[in-house]
Amino acid sequence: MIDAIHSGVKSLRWLLPFGLLAFVCLQCRPIGPPPGRQDRYRPSPSGSQPSGGKSVSAMLRSVNLKTDMVRKGTHGRKVVRPMTPRYITIHSTQNYTAGAERHSEALKNGALRSPKTRYGNRIGYLIWHFTVDQRVAIQHMPTNEQGEHADFGGPGNRLSIGIEMCENRGNSRLATTERTARLTAVLMKKNGIPLRNVVPHYHWPRRGKHPPNKNCPHFLMDNGRPGKKWRAFLGRVNYYYQQLQ
């Protein structure tokens, strides 16, 4: 996921009332898989054909999209840079302690800091557009604004909508991925984005980082690179997109 966060947030006071002391800031950096689990993703069969046309509003209802915006002028939105999105970038949190609502609270409260460096974060905070878990997708900022989630000042931030997939304990990875595929299809339709421009975080090299291409979303990569599992995910996105035709 977002590589711009470097060392994490040492103190996240916004989590204390909930009794969670171990929330890690999001940097595509694993804190360990849930006990007894492996990082595996098995996509649903994609060979079946769409059953018929579906409106964007109907697809959005199935996504269960909620709006919980970071307030303009604060934290990740303290600097607003306009954007005409040309890509959709898919991330995974590798954070096993928080679902979509916790991530939304972190963004709104400015808990996700990132140091501004020559080749790093431009504003000192992380921000992306949507967080998805097994039951909901939450929007944090307008899709016509640039986020800070992919490659610092590069085209991944300047031209792409960022989607984070949650991996918290008890959250279904398959349900999260299917919900993400539906949301991606809707965003493609609304913004005129072709399937070839739906990319993993891996797609965007990060200047000054070694390796430059991040293994993210890790459970959709094969040996750290896009392969069969990523193509299977694109197949699910295309399946839902074809339903919108």
Side-chain angles (χ1 to χ4, degrees), residues 116-218:
K116 291 194 291 185
T117 62
R118 182 180 180 186
Y119 300 124
N121 188 281
R122 295 174 292 178
I123 57 176
Y125 293 89
L126 292 182
I127 188 72
W128 59 93
H129 299 84
F130 300 90
T131 304
V132 183
D133 63 22
Q134 67 175 4
R135 67 178 192 85
V136 68
I138 300 179
Q139 183 173 2
H140 313 294
M141 66 185 303
T143 57
N144 62 358
E145 289 182 17
Q146 297 178 34
E148 291 284 341
H149 58 90
D151 58 354
F152 313 130
N157 281 341
R158 291 186 289 102
L159 297 173
S160 81
I161 297 169
I163 303 177
E164 285 287 344
M165 293 186 291
C166 292
E167 301 186 72
N168 50 302
R169 291 180 176 88
N171 181 61
S172 167
R173 182 171 288 173
L174 178 59
T176 299
T177 308
E178 287 292 301
R179 189 177 304 280
T180 301
R182 292 196 297 271
L183 173 61
T184 301
V186 169
L187 293 171
M188 288 169 58
K189 183 69 172 177
K190 293 181 71 173
N191 294 281
I193 297 173
L195 185 65
R196 66 178 178 273
N197 285 6
V198 177
V199 299
H201 186 186
Y202 175 93
H203 181 81
W204 306 111
R206 305 152 301 155
R207 187 174 183 181
K209 293 291 184 179
H210 302 283
N213 298 86
K214 190 71 176 179
N215 178 19
C216 178
H218 68 102

Side-chain angles (χ1 to χ4, degrees), residues 52-61 186 243-244:
K54 182 176 291 188
S55 68
V56 168
S57 59
M59 186 74 76
L60 275 177
R61 286 194 295 272
V186 169
Q243 292 183 353
L244 297 174

Side-chain angles (χ1 to χ4, degrees), residues 58-123:
M59 186 74 76
L60 275 177
R61 286 194 295 272
S62 74
V63 168
N64 192 23
L65 180 64
K66 308 294 184 183
T67 300
D68 192 20
M69 297 286 193
V70 174
R71 187 162 56 89
K72 187 175 180 179
T74 66
H75 311 313
R77 295 185 68 202
K78 70 177 183 178
V79 177
V80 174
R81 294 182 173 91
M83 176 179 74
T84 300
R86 292 171 49 192
Y87 296 85
I88 299 170
T89 301
I90 307 297
H91 305 266
S92 64
T93 65
Q94 290 190 262
N95 176 1
Y96 294 94
T97 65
E101 292 178 355
R102 298 281 185 189
H103 288 100
S104 186
E105 288 298 317
L107 290 171
K108 289 190 303 180
N109 290 322
L112 301 183
R113 301 295 298 271
S114 181
K116 291 194 291 185
T117 62
R118 182 180 180 186
Y119 300 124
N121 188 281
R122 295 174 292 178
I123 57 176

